[in-house]
Amino acid sequence: MLMKIIRVLFIGLFFYGLPARAQVTVDTTIRLDLLKSPASPAFNILGIAQSDIERPADLNAFALSIQNATNNFTSIPESYAFQIAPFLMGRKKYSLNQFDNNQHTFKHSFQFSAGYTHIGPKGKEDVDSLKTTKLGLGIKFSIIRPRWTADTRNKYTVLRQAQVQLIADRRAYEEKHPQYSLLKEKKQRLQLLEMKDSLNEVQLKEFNQLIRDIRELEENIGEDYDDVLPDGAAFAAARKAATAFKTERAGFFLDFSGGMALDFPDNRFNNSNVYRAGMWLTGGNENGNKGISSLFILRYLYNPTTLFAAPSGLLKGGKLSTFDMGGRFLLDVSREKFVLSAEALYRSILGSSTVDPSWRLVMNAEYDLGTNRKLTFAFGRDFDGTISKGGNLVAMINLIAGFGGDRKIAD
């Protein structure tokens, strides 16, 4: 029952995040393609992330991940996650230019994520009798964020110039509209009334009527402009500039992440325990959308109850703390359309000689499906010592979609 409730919740959030069809208007915002490699602290703390070392990225207001693992990818996905950037969902709309400095780094980069999975322990993920529901909660924010590349800055300049031209084109059309004279006359009358210290009953009635008339005239002129907008040169130039713009950052970065995962042994909300908790730093050198980027991770995890998938069944161990360190190299093959990466981590056990140190090696391929849509595939070897002896296979496909990538071009 718990599994169904959580799955319905995630699917509902998916449809809630779908953008509504917007009317074509002259606006001060554009929709950006922001997604890079899936980076969900919730998946990370659950231990099912495709890549533990997360690439830095500008955020969508809302993002959803759907992951299918093992079983030859023939089963229904058992793992879901969503990410929310709360400061980007508020009423305040940051201008695009503000994302190229560190003045609002925390607000621009802070994200909350929640993940859900219903699989068995490592090594026995597909054994129905061992499957339990797990819920992960995580946060992430940037400490140091690299600046835009010169190419991104140049494209922003072109985009802003296109917006200025589009607004000028709108004003020129408005002044030639048959109803413009009437609109101008009513605005001037409204300004005269606004200058008065007080209004009598007749003037107040006229004031309210003027507001309604002005709104109606502006909507009529706007609707007429929308009909001719797609055929205009200014709109074509703005659309071309918006399509070409994609944030690219280069330089050193450092991110902080943390989270906690809960396990529901009998798949009921009223019976849960802490499965894992931890915090980690991810950093390195981001090389933009070309060449090789190098990343590293330093991660501490606390496991109150360690689970071992042994031949005799599911065994429980004592409290266990681990420290992970490792690196990841990403090769952008075709300007972020197709990205290859290799990741290696070494896990040491703190204060215990019961479990041997272990390591993880994963190859990852990422393909861009279009604006804010990514498909990734991971294959490799997972940690073996802390969960089960003999190593575990990492094989999973992940689809991530982002919504709420609208940004103001300028203040």
Side-chain angles (χ1 to χ4, degrees), residues 7-30:
R7 185 173 294 176
V8 168
L9 173 64
F10 274 84
I11 293 174
L13 285 168
F14 172 79
F15 286 106
Y16 174 78
L18 288 175
R21 184 177 180 180
Q23 185 182 14
V24 180
T25 58
V26 176
D27 201 354
T28 59
T29 63
I30 63 169

mmCIF file with all atom_site columns, all heavy atoms in Angstrom, residues 7-30:
data_model
loop_
_atom_site.group_PDB
_atom_site.id
_atom_site.type_symbol
_atom_site.label_atom_id
_atom_site.label_alt_id
_atom_site.label_comp_id
_atom_site.label_asym_id
_atom_site.label_entity_id
_atom_site.label_seq_id
_atom_site.pdbx_PDB_ins_code
_atom_site.Cartn_x
_atom_site.Cartn_y
_atom_site.Cartn_z
_atom_site.occupancy
_atom_site.B_iso_or_equiv
_atom_site.pdbx_formal_charge
_atom_site.auth_seq_id
_atom_site.auth_comp_id
_atom_site.auth_asym_id
_atom_site.auth_atom_id
_atom_site.pdbx_PDB_model_num
ATOM 1   N N   . ARG A 1 7  ? 4.228  6.076  -5.159  1.00 0.00 ? 7  ARG A N   1
ATOM 2   C CA  . ARG A 1 7  ? 4.338  6.102  -6.626  1.00 0.00 ? 7  ARG A CA  1
ATOM 3   C C   . ARG A 1 7  ? 3.328  7.074  -7.217  1.00 0.00 ? 7  ARG A C   1
ATOM 4   O O   . ARG A 1 7  ? 3.643  7.839  -8.127  1.00 0.00 ? 7  ARG A O   1
ATOM 5   C CB  . ARG A 1 7  ? 4.129  4.705  -7.193  1.00 0.00 ? 7  ARG A CB  1
ATOM 6   C CG  . ARG A 1 7  ? 4.335  4.621  -8.695  1.00 0.00 ? 7  ARG A CG  1
ATOM 7   C CD  . ARG A 1 7  ? 4.276  3.190  -9.177  1.00 0.00 ? 7  ARG A CD  1
ATOM 8   N NE  . ARG A 1 7  ? 5.377  2.407  -8.652  1.00 0.00 ? 7  ARG A NE  1
ATOM 9   C CZ  . ARG A 1 7  ? 5.507  1.109  -8.862  1.00 0.00 ? 7  ARG A CZ  1
ATOM 10  N NH1 . ARG A 1 7  ? 4.605  0.451  -9.563  1.00 0.00 ? 7  ARG A NH1 1
ATOM 11  N NH2 . ARG A 1 7  ? 6.528  0.453  -8.358  1.00 0.00 ? 7  ARG A NH2 1
ATOM 12  N N   . VAL A 1 8  ? 2.097  7.074  -6.680  1.00 0.00 ? 8  VAL A N   1
ATOM 13  C CA  . VAL A 1 8  ? 1.082  8.023  -7.149  1.00 0.00 ? 8  VAL A CA  1
ATOM 14  C C   . VAL A 1 8  ? 1.515  9.448  -6.869  1.00 0.00 ? 8  VAL A C   1
ATOM 15  O O   . VAL A 1 8  ? 1.319  10.353 -7.686  1.00 0.00 ? 8  VAL A O   1
ATOM 16  C CB  . VAL A 1 8  ? -0.278 7.730  -6.469  1.00 0.00 ? 8  VAL A CB  1
ATOM 17  C CG1 . VAL A 1 8  ? -1.252 8.866  -6.727  1.00 0.00 ? 8  VAL A CG1 1
ATOM 18  C CG2 . VAL A 1 8  ? -0.843 6.419  -6.979  1.00 0.00 ? 8  VAL A CG2 1
ATOM 19  N N   . LEU A 1 9  ? 2.162  9.672  -5.717  1.00 0.00 ? 9  LEU A N   1
ATOM 20  C CA  . LEU A 1 9  ? 2.644  11.001 -5.372  1.00 0.00 ? 9  LEU A CA  1
ATOM 21  C C   . LEU A 1 9  ? 3.667  11.501 -6.381  1.00 0.00 ? 9  LEU A C   1
ATOM 22  O O   . LEU A 1 9  ? 3.591  12.632 -6.857  1.00 0.00 ? 9  LEU A O   1
ATOM 23  C CB  . LEU A 1 9  ? 3.260  10.976 -3.968  1.00 0.00 ? 9  LEU A CB  1
ATOM 24  C CG  . LEU A 1 9  ? 3.964  12.267 -3.518  1.00 0.00 ? 9  LEU A CG  1
ATOM 25  C CD1 . LEU A 1 9  ? 2.964  13.400 -3.431  1.00 0.00 ? 9  LEU A CD1 1
ATOM 26  C CD2 . LEU A 1 9  ? 4.657  12.045 -2.177  1.00 0.00 ? 9  LEU A CD2 1
ATOM 27  N N   . PHE A 1 10 ? 4.616  10.648 -6.738  1.00 0.00 ? 10 PHE A N   1
ATOM 28  C CA  . PHE A 1 10 ? 5.655  11.061 -7.676  1.00 0.00 ? 10 PHE A CA  1
ATOM 29  C C   . PHE A 1 10 ? 5.077  11.299 -9.063  1.00 0.00 ? 10 PHE A C   1
ATOM 30  O O   . PHE A 1 10 ? 5.452  12.243 -9.748  1.00 0.00 ? 10 PHE A O   1
ATOM 31  C CB  . PHE A 1 10 ? 6.770  10.005 -7.735  1.00 0.00 ? 10 PHE A CB  1
ATOM 32  C CG  . PHE A 1 10 ? 7.816  10.187 -6.673  1.00 0.00 ? 10 PHE A CG  1
ATOM 33  C CD1 . PHE A 1 10 ? 7.618  9.674  -5.405  1.00 0.00 ? 10 PHE A CD1 1
ATOM 34  C CD2 . PHE A 1 10 ? 8.973  10.878 -6.936  1.00 0.00 ? 10 PHE A CD2 1
ATOM 35  C CE1 . PHE A 1 10 ? 8.571  9.845  -4.421  1.00 0.00 ? 10 PHE A CE1 1
ATOM 36  C CE2 . PHE A 1 10 ? 9.928  11.059 -5.956  1.00 0.00 ? 10 PHE A CE2 1
ATOM 37  C CZ  . PHE A 1 10 ? 9.734  10.532 -4.698  1.00 0.00 ? 10 PHE A CZ  1
ATOM 38  N N   . ILE A 1 11 ? 4.162  10.446 -9.498  1.00 0.00 ? 11 ILE A N   1
ATOM 39  C CA  . ILE A 1 11 ? 3.554  10.630 -10.814 1.00 0.00 ? 11 ILE A CA  1
ATOM 40  C C   . ILE A 1 11 ? 2.727  11.919 -10.829 1.00 0.00 ? 11 ILE A C   1
ATOM 41  O O   . ILE A 1 11 ? 2.733  12.668 -11.807 1.00 0.00 ? 11 ILE A O   1
ATOM 42  C CB  . ILE A 1 11 ? 2.675  9.414  -11.178 1.00 0.00 ? 11 ILE A CB  1
ATOM 43  C CG1 . ILE A 1 11 ? 3.578  8.169  -11.373 1.00 0.00 ? 11 ILE A CG1 1
ATOM 44  C CG2 . ILE A 1 11 ? 1.881  9.670  -12.450 1.00 0.00 ? 11 ILE A CG2 1
ATOM 45  C CD1 . ILE A 1 11 ? 2.808  6.888  -11.595 1.00 0.00 ? 11 ILE A CD1 1
ATOM 46  N N   . GLY A 1 12 ? 2.034  12.198 -9.723  1.00 0.00 ? 12 GLY A N   1
ATOM 47  C CA  . GLY A 1 12 ? 1.269  13.434 -9.634  1.00 0.00 ? 12 GLY A CA  1
ATOM 48  C C   . GLY A 1 12 ? 2.157  14.655 -9.712  1.00 0.00 ? 12 GLY A C   1
ATOM 49  O O   . GLY A 1 12 ? 1.845  15.632 -10.383 1.00 0.00 ? 12 GLY A O   1
ATOM 50  N N   . LEU A 1 13 ? 3.315  14.592 -9.042  1.00 0.00 ? 13 LEU A N   1
ATOM 51  C CA  . LEU A 1 13 ? 4.261  15.702 -9.112  1.00 0.00 ? 13 LEU A CA  1
ATOM 52  C C   . LEU A 1 13 ? 4.802  15.879 -10.518 1.00 0.00 ? 13 LEU A C   1
ATOM 53  O O   . LEU A 1 13 ? 5.084  16.991 -10.958 1.00 0.00 ? 13 LEU A O   1
ATOM 54  C CB  . LEU A 1 13 ? 5.423  15.453 -8.137  1.00 0.00 ? 13 LEU A CB  1
ATOM 55  C CG  . LEU A 1 13 ? 5.080  15.673 -6.669  1.00 0.00 ? 13 LEU A CG  1
ATOM 56  C CD1 . LEU A 1 13 ? 6.187  15.115 -5.785  1.00 0.00 ? 13 LEU A CD1 1
ATOM 57  C CD2 . LEU A 1 13 ? 4.872  17.147 -6.390  1.00 0.00 ? 13 LEU A CD2 1
ATOM 58  N N   . PHE A 1 14 ? 4.946  14.796 -11.240 1.00 0.00 ? 14 PHE A N   1
ATOM 59  C CA  . PHE A 1 14 ? 5.415  14.873 -12.628 1.00 0.00 ? 14 PHE A CA  1
ATOM 60  C C   . PHE A 1 14 ? 4.448  15.688 -13.477 1.00 0.00 ? 14 PHE A C   1
ATOM 61  O O   . PHE A 1 14 ? 4.837  16.607 -14.183 1.00 0.00 ? 14 PHE A O   1
ATOM 62  C CB  . PHE A 1 14 ? 5.570  13.455 -13.189 1.00 0.00 ? 14 PHE A CB  1
ATOM 63  C CG  . PHE A 1 14 ? 5.874  13.431 -14.664 1.00 0.00 ? 14 PHE A CG  1
ATOM 64  C CD1 . PHE A 1 14 ? 7.150  13.672 -15.112 1.00 0.00 ? 14 PHE A CD1 1
ATOM 65  C CD2 . PHE A 1 14 ? 4.871  13.169 -15.583 1.00 0.00 ? 14 PHE A CD2 1
ATOM 66  C CE1 . PHE A 1 14 ? 7.443  13.650 -16.459 1.00 0.00 ? 14 PHE A CE1 1
ATOM 67  C CE2 . PHE A 1 14 ? 5.149  13.144 -16.938 1.00 0.00 ? 14 PHE A CE2 1
ATOM 68  C CZ  . PHE A 1 14 ? 6.447  13.384 -17.376 1.00 0.00 ? 14 PHE A CZ  1
ATOM 69  N N   . PHE A 1 15 ? 3.169  15.350 -13.400 1.00 0.00 ? 15 PHE A N   1
ATOM 70  C CA  . PHE A 1 15 ? 2.190  16.063 -14.218 1.00 0.00 ? 15 PHE A CA  1
ATOM 71  C C   . PHE A 1 15 ? 1.995  17.491 -13.721 1.00 0.00 ? 15 PHE A C   1
ATOM 72  O O   . PHE A 1 15 ? 1.717  18.388 -14.510 1.00 0.00 ? 15 PHE A O   1
ATOM 73  C CB  . PHE A 1 15 ? 0.854  15.317 -14.218 1.00 0.00 ? 15 PHE A CB  1
ATOM 74  C CG  . PHE A 1 15 ? 0.884  14.077 -15.064 1.00 0.00 ? 15 PHE A CG  1
ATOM 75  C CD1 . PHE A 1 15 ? 0.919  12.820 -14.482 1.00 0.00 ? 15 PHE A CD1 1
ATOM 76  C CD2 . PHE A 1 15 ? 0.924  14.168 -16.441 1.00 0.00 ? 15 PHE A CD2 1
ATOM 77  C CE1 . PHE A 1 15 ? 0.962  11.683 -15.258 1.00 0.00 ? 15 PHE A CE1 1
ATOM 78  C CE2 . PHE A 1 15 ? 0.960  13.032 -17.226 1.00 0.00 ? 15 PHE A CE2 1
ATOM 79  C CZ  . PHE A 1 15 ? 0.985  11.786 -16.642 1.00 0.00 ? 15 PHE A CZ  1
ATOM 80  N N   . TYR A 1 16 ? 2.157  17.703 -12.417 1.00 0.00 ? 16 TYR A N   1
ATOM 81  C CA  . TYR A 1 16 ? 2.050  19.052 -11.893 1.00 0.00 ? 16 TYR A CA  1
ATOM 82  C C   . TYR A 1 16 ? 3.141  19.944 -12.464 1.00 0.00 ? 16 TYR A C   1
ATOM 83  O O   . TYR A 1 16 ? 2.939  21.126 -12.709 1.00 0.00 ? 16 TYR A O   1
ATOM 84  C CB  . TYR A 1 16 ? 2.149  19.017 -10.372 1.00 0.00 ? 16 TYR A CB  1
ATOM 85  C CG  . TYR A 1 16 ? 2.204  20.386 -9.738  1.00 0.00 ? 16 TYR A CG  1
ATOM 86  C CD1 . TYR A 1 16 ? 1.045  21.144 -9.585  1.00 0.00 ? 16 TYR A CD1 1
ATOM 87  C CD2 . TYR A 1 16 ? 3.419  20.915 -9.296  1.00 0.00 ? 16 TYR A CD2 1
ATOM 88  C CE1 . TYR A 1 16 ? 1.091  22.401 -9.002  1.00 0.00 ? 16 TYR A CE1 1
ATOM 89  C CE2 . TYR A 1 16 ? 3.467  22.173 -8.721  1.00 0.00 ? 16 TYR A CE2 1
ATOM 90  C CZ  . TYR A 1 16 ? 2.301  22.898 -8.570  1.00 0.00 ? 16 TYR A CZ  1
ATOM 91  O OH  . TYR A 1 16 ? 2.360  24.128 -7.999  1.00 0.00 ? 16 TYR A OH  1
ATOM 92  N N   . GLY A 1 17 ? 4.336  19.350 -12.700 1.00 0.00 ? 17 GLY A N   1
ATOM 93  C CA  . GLY A 1 17 ? 5.462  20.126 -13.200 1.00 0.00 ? 17 GLY A CA  1
ATOM 94  C C   . GLY A 1 17 ? 5.431  20.370 -14.678 1.00 0.00 ? 17 GLY A C   1
ATOM 95  O O   . GLY A 1 17 ? 6.253  21.132 -15.193 1.00 0.00 ? 17 GLY A O   1
ATOM 96  N N   . LEU A 1 18 ? 4.507  19.748 -15.412 1.00 0.00 ? 18 LEU A N   1
ATOM 97  C CA  . LEU A 1 18 ? 4.446  19.979 -16.851 1.00 0.00 ? 18 LEU A CA  1
ATOM 98  C C   . LEU A 1 18 ? 4.060  21.418 -17.137 1.00 0.00 ? 18 LEU A C   1
ATOM 99  O O   . LEU A 1 18 ? 3.121  21.944 -16.549 1.00 0.00 ? 18 LEU A O   1
ATOM 100 C CB  . LEU A 1 18 ? 3.408  19.041 -17.489 1.00 0.00 ? 18 LEU A CB  1
ATOM 101 C CG  . LEU A 1 18 ? 3.802  17.578 -17.571 1.00 0.00 ? 18 LEU A CG  1
ATOM 102 C CD1 . LEU A 1 18 ? 2.631  16.762 -18.099 1.00 0.00 ? 18 LEU A CD1 1
ATOM 103 C CD2 . LEU A 1 18 ? 5.012  17.373 -18.454 1.00 0.00 ? 18 LEU A CD2 1
ATOM 104 N N   . PRO A 1 19 ? 4.820  22.106 -18.029 1.00 0.00 ? 19 PRO A N   1
ATOM 105 C CA  . PRO A 1 19 ? 4.528  23.498 -18.285 1.00 0.00 ? 19 PRO A CA  1
ATOM 106 C C   . PRO A 1 19 ? 3.251  23.675 -19.080 1.00 0.00 ? 19 PRO A C   1
ATOM 107 O O   . PRO A 1 19 ? 2.952  22.926 -19.998 1.00 0.00 ? 19 PRO A O   1
ATOM 108 C CB  . PRO A 1 19 ? 5.753  23.971 -19.096 1.00 0.00 ? 19 PRO A CB  1
ATOM 109 C CG  . PRO A 1 19 ? 6.237  22.729 -19.774 1.00 0.00 ? 19 PRO A CG  1
ATOM 110 C CD  . PRO A 1 19 ? 5.949  21.596 -18.836 1.00 0.00 ? 19 PRO A CD  1
ATOM 111 N N   . ALA A 1 20 ? 2.466  24.681 -18.717 1.00 0.00 ? 20 ALA A N   1
ATOM 112 C CA  . ALA A 1 20 ? 1.257  24.987 -19.475 1.00 0.00 ? 20 ALA A CA  1
ATOM 113 C C   . ALA A 1 20 ? 1.621  25.673 -20.772 1.00 0.00 ? 20 ALA A C   1
ATOM 114 O O   . ALA A 1 20 ? 2.630  26.348 -20.875 1.00 0.00 ? 20 ALA A O   1
ATOM 115 C CB  . ALA A 1 20 ? 0.345  25.892 -18.638 1.00 0.00 ? 20 ALA A CB  1
ATOM 116 N N   . ARG A 1 21 ? 0.746  25.539 -21.787 1.00 0.00 ? 21 ARG A N   1
ATOM 117 C CA  . ARG A 1 21 ? 0.963  26.172 -23.055 1.00 0.00 ? 21 ARG A CA  1
ATOM 118 C C   . ARG A 1 21 ? 0.758  27.677 -22.905 1.00 0.00 ? 21 ARG A C   1
ATOM 119 O O   . ARG A 1 21 ? -0.281 28.136 -22.467 1.00 0.00 ? 21 ARG A O   1
ATOM 120 C CB  . ARG A 1 21 ? -0.006 25.610 -24.098 1.00 0.00 ? 21 ARG A CB  1
ATOM 121 C CG  . ARG A 1 21 ? 0.249  26.176 -25.509 1.00 0.00 ? 21 ARG A CG  1
ATOM 122 C CD  . ARG A 1 21 ? -0.683 25.527 -26.507 1.00 0.00 ? 21 ARG A CD  1
ATOM 123 N NE  . ARG A 1 21 ? -0.462 26.048 -27.840 1.00 0.00 ? 21 ARG A NE  1
ATOM 124 C CZ  . ARG A 1 21 ? -1.142 25.643 -28.907 1.00 0.00 ? 21 ARG A CZ  1
ATOM 125 N NH1 . ARG A 1 21 ? -2.065 24.711 -28.773 1.00 0.00 ? 21 ARG A NH1 1
ATOM 126 N NH2 . ARG A 1 21 ? -0.888 26.164 -30.086 1.00 0.00 ? 21 ARG A NH2 1
ATOM 127 N N   . ALA A 1 22 ? 1.756  28.446 -23.256 1.00 0.00 ? 22 ALA A N   1
ATOM 128 C CA  . ALA A 1 22 ? 1.708  29.879 -23.024 1.00 0.00 ? 22 ALA A CA  1
ATOM 129 C C   . ALA A 1 22 ? 1.370  30.617 -24.299 1.00 0.00 ? 22 ALA A C   1
ATOM 130 O O   . ALA A 1 22 ? 1.718  30.190 -25.392 1.00 0.00 ? 22 ALA A O   1
ATOM 131 C CB  . ALA A 1 22 ? 3.058  30.367 -22.494 1.00 0.00 ? 22 ALA A CB  1
ATOM 132 N N   . GLN A 1 23 ? 0.699  31.766 -24.136 1.00 0.00 ? 23 GLN A N   1
ATOM 133 C CA  . GLN A 1 23 ? 0.385  32.608 -25.271 1.00 0.00 ? 23 GLN A CA  1
ATOM 134 C C   . GLN A 1 23 ? 1.651  33.309 -25.721 1.00 0.00 ? 23 GLN A C   1
ATOM 135 O O   . GLN A 1 23 ? 2.494  33.691 -24.917 1.00 0.00 ? 23 GLN A O   1
ATOM 136 C CB  . GLN A 1 23 ? -0.661 33.650 -24.865 1.00 0.00 ? 23 GLN A CB  1
ATOM 137 C CG  . GLN A 1 23 ? -1.152 34.524 -26.004 1.00 0.00 ? 23 GLN A CG  1
ATOM 138 C CD  . GLN A 1 23 ? -2.158 35.553 -25.511 1.00 0.00 ? 23 GLN A CD  1
ATOM 139 O OE1 . GLN A 1 23 ? -2.265 35.765 -24.325 1.00 0.00 ? 23 GLN A OE1 1
ATOM 140 N NE2 . GLN A 1 23 ? -2.863 36.160 -26.421 1.00 0.00 ? 23 GLN A NE2 1
ATOM 141 N N   . VAL A 1 24 ? 1.817  33.465 -27.032 1.00 0.00 ? 24 VAL A N   1
ATOM 142 C CA  . VAL A 1 24 ? 2.991  34.123 -27.565 1.00 0.00 ? 24 VAL A CA  1
ATOM 143 C C   . VAL A 1 24 ? 2.880  35.615 -27.297 1.00 0.00 ? 24 VAL A C   1
ATOM 144 O O   . VAL A 1 24 ? 1.999  36.289 -27.810 1.00 0.00 ? 24 VAL A O   1
ATOM 145 C CB  . VAL A 1 24 ? 3.134  33.868 -29.078 1.00 0.00 ? 24 VAL A CB  1
ATOM 146 C CG1 . VAL A 1 24 ? 4.367  34.562 -29.610 1.00 0.00 ? 24 VAL A CG1 1
ATOM 147 C CG2 . VAL A 1 24 ? 3.204  32.378 -29.355 1.00 0.00 ? 24 VAL A CG2 1
ATOM 148 N N   . THR A 1 25 ? 3.741  36.149 -26.432 1.00 0.00 ? 25 THR A N   1
ATOM 149 C CA  . THR A 1 25 ? 3.719  37.571 -26.115 1.00 0.00 ? 25 THR A CA  1
ATOM 150 C C   . THR A 1 25 ? 5.148  38.079 -26.010 1.00 0.00 ? 25 THR A C   1
ATOM 151 O O   . THR A 1 25 ? 6.095  37.311 -25.915 1.00 0.00 ? 25 THR A O   1
ATOM 152 C CB  . THR A 1 25 ? 3.003  37.834 -24.778 1.00 0.00 ? 25 THR A CB  1
ATOM 153 O OG1 . THR A 1 25 ? 3.681  37.099 -23.753 1.00 0.00 ? 25 THR A OG1 1
ATOM 154 C CG2 . THR A 1 25 ? 1.549  37.405 -24.829 1.00 0.00 ? 25 THR A CG2 1
ATOM 155 N N   . VAL A 1 26 ? 5.297  39.393 -26.019 1.00 0.00 ? 26 VAL A N   1
ATOM 156 C CA  . VAL A 1 26 ? 6.597  39.980 -25.749 1.00 0.00 ? 26 VAL A CA  1
ATOM 157 C C   . VAL A 1 26 ? 6.821  39.874 -24.250 1.00 0.00 ? 26 VAL A C   1
ATOM 158 O O   . VAL A 1 26 ? 6.088  40.456 -23.467 1.00 0.00 ? 26 VAL A O   1
ATOM 159 C CB  . VAL A 1 26 ? 6.643  41.451 -26.203 1.00 0.00 ? 26 VAL A CB  1
ATOM 160 C CG1 . VAL A 1 26 ? 7.978  42.064 -25.830 1.00 0.00 ? 26 VAL A CG1 1
ATOM 161 C CG2 . VAL A 1 26 ? 6.429  41.545 -27.694 1.00 0.00 ? 26 VAL A CG2 1
ATOM 162 N N   . ASP A 1 27 ? 7.812  39.127 -23.844 1.00 0.00 ? 27 ASP A N   1
ATOM 163 C CA  . ASP A 1 27 ? 8.027  38.854 -22.437 1.00 0.00 ? 27 ASP A CA  1
ATOM 164 C C   . ASP A 1 27 ? 9.462  39.211 -22.069 1.00 0.00 ? 27 ASP A C   1
ATOM 165 O O   . ASP A 1 27 ? 10.300 39.416 -22.938 1.00 0.00 ? 27 ASP A O   1
ATOM 166 C CB  . ASP A 1 27 ? 7.764  37.369 -22.154 1.00 0.00 ? 27 ASP A CB  1
ATOM 167 C CG  . ASP A 1 27 ? 7.461  37.116 -20.681 1.00 0.00 ? 27 ASP A CG  1
ATOM 168 O OD1 . ASP A 1 27 ? 7.574  38.059 -19.884 1.00 0.00 ? 27 ASP A OD1 1
ATOM 169 O OD2 . ASP A 1 27 ? 7.112  35.976 -20.344 1.00 0.00 ? 27 ASP A OD2 1
ATOM 170 N N   . THR A 1 28 ? 9.725  39.274 -20.776 1.00 0.00 ? 28 THR A N   1
ATOM 171 C CA  . THR A 1 28 ? 11.075 39.543 -20.315 1.00 0.00 ? 28 THR A CA  1
ATOM 172 C C   . THR A 1 28 ? 11.764 38.260 -19.866 1.00 0.00 ? 28 THR A C   1
ATOM 173 O O   . THR A 1 28 ? 12.787 38.311 -19.201 1.00 0.00 ? 28 THR A O   1
ATOM 174 C CB  . THR A 1 28 ? 11.043 40.540 -19.140 1.00 0.00 ? 28 THR A CB  1
ATOM 175 O OG1 . THR A 1 28 ? 10.259 39.963 -18.079 1.00 0.00 ? 28 THR A OG1 1
ATOM 176 C CG2 . THR A 1 28 ? 10.440 41.860 -19.568 1.00 0.00 ? 28 THR A CG2 1
ATOM 177 N N   . THR A 1 29 ? 11.206 37.116 -20.197 1.00 0.00 ? 29 THR A N   1
ATOM 178 C CA  . THR A 1 29 ? 11.795 35.848 -19.796 1.00 0.00 ? 29 THR A CA  1
ATOM 179 C C   . THR A 1 29 ? 12.002 34.944 -20.999 1.00 0.00 ? 29 THR A C   1
ATOM 180 O O   . THR A 1 29 ? 11.363 35.101 -22.026 1.00 0.00 ? 29 THR A O   1
ATOM 181 C CB  . THR A 1 29 ? 10.900 35.105 -18.781 1.00 0.00 ? 29 THR A CB  1
ATOM 182 O OG1 . THR A 1 29 ? 9.660  34.783 -19.416 1.00 0.00 ? 29 THR A OG1 1
ATOM 183 C CG2 . THR A 1 29 ? 10.635 35.967 -17.562 1.00 0.00 ? 29 THR A CG2 1
ATOM 184 N N   . ILE A 1 30 ? 12.927 33.975 -20.842 1.00 0.00 ? 30 ILE A N   1
ATOM 185 C CA  . ILE A 1 30 ? 13.115 32.924 -21.836 1.00 0.00 ? 30 ILE A CA  1
ATOM 186 C C   . ILE A 1 30 ? 13.211 31.607 -21.083 1.00 0.00 ? 30 ILE A C   1
ATOM 187 O O   . ILE A 1 30 ? 13.511 31.566 -19.886 1.00 0.00 ? 30 ILE A O   1
ATOM 188 C CB  . ILE A 1 30 ? 14.387 33.126 -22.699 1.00 0.00 ? 30 ILE A CB  1
ATOM 189 C CG1 . ILE A 1 30 ? 15.636 33.060 -21.811 1.00 0.00 ? 30 ILE A CG1 1
ATOM 190 C CG2 . ILE A 1 30 ? 14.329 34.414 -23.480 1.00 0.00 ? 30 ILE A CG2 1
ATOM 191 C CD1 . ILE A 1 30 ? 16.917 32.976 -22.604 1.00 0.00 ? 30 ILE A CD1 1
#
